[in-house]
Amino acid sequence: MSKYWDAIIIGGGAAGLFCAGIAGQLGKKVLVLDHADVLCEKIRISGGGRCNFTNLHSSPANFLSLNPNFVKSALARYPAKEFIKLVQSYRIDYHEKHQGQLFCDESAHQIIQMLLSECKKGGVIVKHPVTVQEIKQETGGWSVSTSAGIEKSKSVVMATGGLPVPAIGATAYALDIAKQFELMVVDPRPALVPLSFTADAFANLNELAGLSLPIRISSGSKGARYGACRFNEDVLLTHKGLSGPAVLQASSYWIEGEAVHIDWLGAVEVGSHFNCDELFNNEDNRLKLTETILASVLPQRLARSFAQQKNLLGRKWAEVSKKDRQALKELITNWSVKPAGTLGWKKAEVMLGGVDTKELDGQSMMSKKHPGLFFIGECVDVTGHLGGHNFQWAWASGHACAQAL
Ligand SMILES: Cc1cc2nc3c(=O)[nH]c(=O)nc-3n(C[C@H](O)[C@H](O)[C@H](O)COP(=O)(O)OP(=O)(O)OC[C@H]3O[C@@H](n4cnc5c(N)ncnc54)[C@H](O)[C@@H]3O)c2cc1C
């Protein structure tokens, strides 16, 4: 005989378990249902196995959503420092890697264990693998039919995540439920995903495979759904094109058919107050070779390649016309390439789009049309930048929901 739960949470991943632990510790009777044999697979593989669990600088500016203001309340009430305190209370050692990104020293497994311990403290029951067959709204509550019987509750929380990596159990179930209850869904699209390139787009850079350097990348456009972006990040040149964090960040804003733009000197400028015009107009450089001047701020192989592309290899700077200097500068600071596509859901880290935030109350994550139905984590149209922001959203939205349950 099943009991009447305060909340049934569908999906025992980052947002679902975190929400369950808090609600349980607040005295709620909570059941978590997950279809996977092994829970939290995404946490396990995250951050190369070390889980980039939050970011010191996580703020609303790090999220894409049709309504960028939606994240504000949840993030303000559960900022990164709160999650860090929890991690510290479990004596999990961590380190900052890059731009505020926090990783476990040891293993992502420690974060999973912490979430499960928090659930245990709250008396949460976690059942898996269980298939959820139907969710129905009834007078005063909800009925959830599963492969293990029918469960009844006051609230249902959808925490089934996004579509990336179907091989480890990702489904569109939260979006299907949103549609079943006539809630709007913003079209899902892979994000933080490698971009693919055609071979001819890289004819000039082919021999540079393996080179990694900091650059400034931009993509998207102001009028586009999620606007435009500019990131200073590392790019990796590969035999198939470009990859690395710069490309992943740009992919979230990329508009199909459009180019992404790279300023190969952009990150140098930021780092050392370097001024590109000074380099190009400095008369002390008159007797130096073009590739030598470029190599003072770029890796040598790249410097040679740029000089070669403009037929300036081996030419002294004094011999290079103003027009050619300008063309070289344009090539280096506004280099464009049109991606052919993305590598899709198999390789994406996160989903763009999801349940439209217009349908949800930003304080509680509850559906405005169906009180008692909540959506948290990646299934909501909130997508973080690379660097721990997606987990921060899972924690913050899970916390907001738990307070409201
Ligand atoms: C390779 C990779 C690396 C990543 N690294 C990072 C990182 O370092 N830092 C970061 O911030 N983010 C990272 N992310 C993103 C992050 O993992 C997700 O944003 C986050 O896990 C989302 O939390 P969630 O609870 O919404 O969904 P999930 O954690 O995906 O949990 C969803 C749960 O729902 C279950 N489920 C799905 N469908 C059903 C169904 N029909 N019935 C029942 N249960 C279901 C799943 O089994 C799963 O347990 C990474 C993602 C990937 C793919």
Side-chain angles (χ1 to χ4, degrees):
M1 183 70 191
S2 54
K3 60 179 168 180
Y4 195 82
W5 304 92
D6 288 313
I8 297 176
I9 300 180
I10 323 270
L17 286 187
F18 189 63
C19 176
I22 299 175
Q25 289 177 46
L26 288 171
K28 301 291 167 198
K29 283 186 292 202
V30 183
L31 172 67
V32 175
L33 300 174
D34 199 295
H35 70 162
D37 289 326
V38 183
L39 291 178
C40 297
E41 280 293 83
K42 275 209 187 149
I43 302 182
R44 189 181 59 75
I45 61 171
S46 68
R50 291 234 161 90
C51 186
N52 176 194
F53 56 81
T54 193
N55 190 299
L56 289 173
H57 313 304
S58 211
S59 81
N62 297 111
F63 294 90
L64 294 89
S65 171
L66 286 195
N67 174 9
N69 290 324
F70 182 78
V71 295
K72 284 186 176 167
S73 164
L75 282 182
R77 284 185 297 144
Y78 197 82
K81 66 173 190 232
E82 293 298 325
F83 193 76
I84 296 167
K85 271 195 225 158
L86 182 66
V87 168
Q88 287 169 342
S89 75
Y90 276 78
R91 299 180 187 280
I92 298 173
D93 293 329
Y94 61 88
H95 59 279
E96 181 183 348
K97 214 170 179 182
H98 172 63
Q99 300 180 355
Q101 302 169 4
L102 300 187
F103 288 77
C104 297
D105 284 356
E106 223 169 89
S107 156
H109 192 65
Q110 295 172 292
I111 299 292
I112 301 173
Q113 284 309 316
M114 181 185 84
L115 295 176
L116 291 171
S117 299
E118 286 294 291
C119 283
K120 204 169 169 195
K121 270 192 208 168
V124 174
I125 303 295
V126 182
K127 287 191 188 172
H128 74 103
V130 169
T131 306
V132 177
Q133 292 154 339
E134 196 183 18
I135 300 178
K136 279 195 299 199
Q137 191 167 17
E138 297 179 331
T139 322
W142 299 81
S143 163
V144 178
S145 312
T146 79
S147 52
I150 294 177
E151 302 283 356
K152 308 241 175 199
S153 68
K154 207 169 126 199
S155 304
V156 164
V157 181
M158 295 306 302
T160 52
L163 288 163
V165 204
I168 54 168
T171 70
Y173 194 51
L175 309 188
D176 297 342
I177 292 299
K179 287 175 194 159
Q180 178 191 325
F181 288 98
E182 294 179 345
L183 307 182
M184 286 180 293
V185 169
V186 180
D187 279 349
R189 219 185 73 191
L192 296 182
V193 62
L195 298 172
S196 62
F197 299 89
T198 53
D200 55 325
F202 277 84
N204 291 319
L205 297 177
N206 249 346
E207 328 88 79
L208 301 175
L211 196 68
S212 168
L213 71 157
I215 50 126
R216 182 180 296 161
I217 194 162
S218 15
S219 85
S221 80
K222 271 196 178 148
R225 185 184 264 187
Y226 294 107
C229 70
R230 208 161 71 162
F231 289 100
N232 292 319
E233 283 280 11
D234 285 356
V235 74
L236 173 69
L237 297 166
T238 70
H239 287 292
K240 290 187 180 158
L242 301 173
S243 84
V247 175
L248 295 183
Q249 297 279 37
S251 73
S252 300
Y253 291 82
W254 178 60
I255 304 161
E256 230 171 298
E258 308 245 318
V260 295
H261 306 275
I262 290 182
D263 179 349
W264 297 91
L265 296 177
V268 182
E269 284 185 48
V270 171
S272 63
H273 307 294
F274 157 82
N275 181 328
C276 186
D277 287 329
E278 269 173 32
L279 180 79
F280 277 75
N281 299 330
N282 186 349
E283 286 310 309
D284 293 348
N285 285 335
R286 287 177 57 77
L287 298 178
K288 289 187 188 159
L289 296 179
T290 305
E291 61 270 30
T292 310
I293 296 169
L294 297 184
S296 66
V297 285
L298 288 171
Q300 206 163 12
R301 284 197 289 158
L302 192 59
R304 278 184 68 83
S305 168
F306 283 136
Q308 196 165 28
Q309 284 177 52
K310 289 293 169 196
N311 290 323
L312 298 174
L313 197 61
R315 297 263 299 277
K316 288 205 182 99
W317 199 234
E319 298 163 8
V320 179
S321 69
K322 246 187 171 171
K323 196 170 149 222
D324 283 347
R325 287 187 192 189
Q326 191 50 40
L328 185 63
K329 183 178 160 193
E330 179 64 19
L331 175 71
I332 295 174
T333 58
N334 193 13
W335 188 88
S336 299
V337 64
K338 250 189 210 174
T342 77
L343 297 196
W345 293 116
K346 275 189 192 166
K347 298 285 175 190
E349 276 196 16
V350 79
M351 176 175 86
L352 207 55
V355 179
D356 196 324
T357 58
K358 280 197 203 97
E359 303 283 7
L360 307 177
D361 168 38
Q363 300 276 325
S364 63
M365 306 295 134
M366 188 167 79
S367 155
K368 292 175 187 166
K369 285 184 197 145
H370 300 280
L373 177 62
F374 295 76
F375 293 84
I376 58 173
E378 198 178 319
C379 66
V380 179
D381 172 35
V382 169
T383 307
H385 290 165
L386 188 74
H389 304 287
N390 285 297
F391 279 133
Q392 185 51 38
W393 171 245
W395 319 137
S397 59
H399 172 267
C401 170
Q403 301 296 321
L405 280 172

